[in-house]
Amino acid sequence: MILARNPVANIQKSEAVFDSEAPLVASFSSRGPNLITPYILKPDISAPGIDILAAWSRVASVSNLPNDTRVVNYNIILGTSMACPHVTGVAVYVKSFHQNWSPAAIMSALMTTGLSKAKPMYPSAGQDQLSYGAGQLNPAKAVDPGLVYDAGASDYVQMLCDSGYNETMIRIVTGDSSSCSSSTSTGTARDLNYPSMALHVQSGKAFAAKFLRTVTNVGSARRGKYKAEVRADRRLNVVVNPSKLRFSELNEKRQFTVSVSGGPLPGYSTAPATVIWSDGKHLVRSVMVVYTDFSS
């Protein structure tokens, strides 16, 4: 390999092509719901994953076909394997500004700012929150989300306990001596302090549920007042209590509940909602979806 002392490169002007359907989730992208933990919305967020120029191993052929002997340093690739590096890169970018943030806080920042600047995901082809989660990744907004939904290892252990995992199963997952509290747990996985909300209900029956959430003030100003706005499907009644949050210090925490009721909903259907906390500068969006039976 020869290294030039004064390397020179020419960067050609890129060509932008307008696509009226963008952003659009690929047909082969995995959809929700989360069949193992129905109260945790999946996917979390969407990122570019189609026709990505990426490094390519010279051990593999261009096409991965047995008779293809061509080798390249870069290739045009598609799939989750391309979307994941985009999200990872943005997470590292956010971490560079906030060294002490937990993984959950960073994830919250990515998810609650997903729709802040980009337009909503293209609504055709049956796309909804079970297709794209919180929406398209938005790196510029993720650095300053205003509020985050934080959580630690103990919160996830409690979620496993509430989901019916026994001590042996939990220790396989955690790799340590974690266990459920001796008292009988009456919670559910929806009590996990997650940036989104999901509710699985039976078709043809009325429903009502509550989500308990805690937000942490990470905005640039120590003091702040946030007001909740709800945008919900007409079949849902969504109430946030309290509807206003006041912060006097950075890293201060405030709790609230989101109550959702409605129905009945037909089978194989979804009803979306969004809870938005705003202080006039930040828009902290938490998506919600109520859904009925889906086959695997």
Side-chain angles (χ1 to χ4, degrees), residues 51-64 71-78 81-83 85-86:
D51 293 340
I52 306 300
L53 178 63
W56 188 257
S57 172
R58 295 180 64 85
V59 176
S61 70
V62 174
S63 62
N64 271 328
V71 293
V72 293
N73 292 324
Y74 295 91
N75 203 352
I76 301 296
I77 316 171
L78 55 82
S81 56
M82 291 297 97
H86 279 90

Side-chain angles (χ1 to χ4, degrees), residues 71-295:
V71 293
V72 293
N73 292 324
Y74 295 91
N75 203 352
I76 301 296
I77 316 171
L78 55 82
T80 303
S81 56
M82 291 297 97
C84 184
H86 279 90
V87 178
T88 303
V90 176
V92 173
Y93 174 66
V94 173
K95 181 72 171 179
S96 71
F97 287 87
H98 306 286
Q99 295 291 319
N100 298 323
W101 279 16
S102 68
I106 294 174
M107 180 179 70
S108 173
L110 301 186
M111 291 176 62
T112 60
T113 59
L115 292 176
S116 295
K117 205 169 184 178
K119 70 176 184 178
M121 303 294 287
Y122 192 69
S124 71
Q127 293 194 16
D128 54 23
Q129 284 83 351
L130 295 180
S131 305
Y132 50 72
Q136 188 177 17
L137 191 68
N138 190 342
K141 288 289 185 179
V143 172
D144 182 23
L147 304 174
V148 293
Y149 295 79
D150 204 0
S154 61
D155 298 294
Y156 279 86
V157 169
Q158 185 59 49
M159 184 270 288
L160 294 176
C161 294
D162 293 337
S163 300
Y165 283 60
N166 60 37
E167 185 176 278
T168 301
M169 297 166 67
I170 289 174
R171 291 182 178 181
I172 291 175
V173 173
T174 63
D176 57 25
S177 58
S178 297
S179 62
C180 299
S181 60
S182 56
S183 59
T184 303
S185 175
T186 58
T188 69
R190 69 170 177 266
D191 294 324
L192 178 65
N193 199 41
Y194 216 68
S196 59
M197 291 162 275
L199 181 65
H200 174 233
V201 300
Q202 287 186 294
S203 59
K205 293 186 178 182
F207 56 85
K210 287 186 178 182
F211 295 84
L212 176 64
R213 292 292 186 267
T214 301
V215 285
T216 304
N217 177 29
V218 296
S220 55
R222 294 178 58 188
R223 300 179 181 274
K225 299 178 183 178
Y226 284 81
K227 183 178 181 180
E229 176 188 353
V230 175
R231 300 174 185 175
D233 185 285
R234 59 180 178 78
R235 297 168 294 177
L236 301 180
N237 178 35
V238 181
V239 177
V240 181
N241 184 37
S243 60
K244 295 180 180 180
L245 300 176
R246 183 188 298 268
F247 297 90
S248 58
E249 296 288 342
L250 287 176
N251 299 314
E252 189 174 9
K253 299 180 182 293
R254 289 285 182 265
Q255 274 192 342
F256 64 93
T257 59
V258 179
S259 302
V260 56
S261 59
L265 298 176
Y268 298 91
S269 66
T270 61
T274 308
V275 174
I276 305 171
W277 288 104
S278 174
D279 65 348
K281 177 183 178 181
H282 304 94
L283 294 176
V284 189
R285 289 177 167 90
S286 289
V287 298
M288 171 193 289
V289 62
V290 179
Y291 64 95
T292 54
D293 301 332
F294 278 79
S295 66

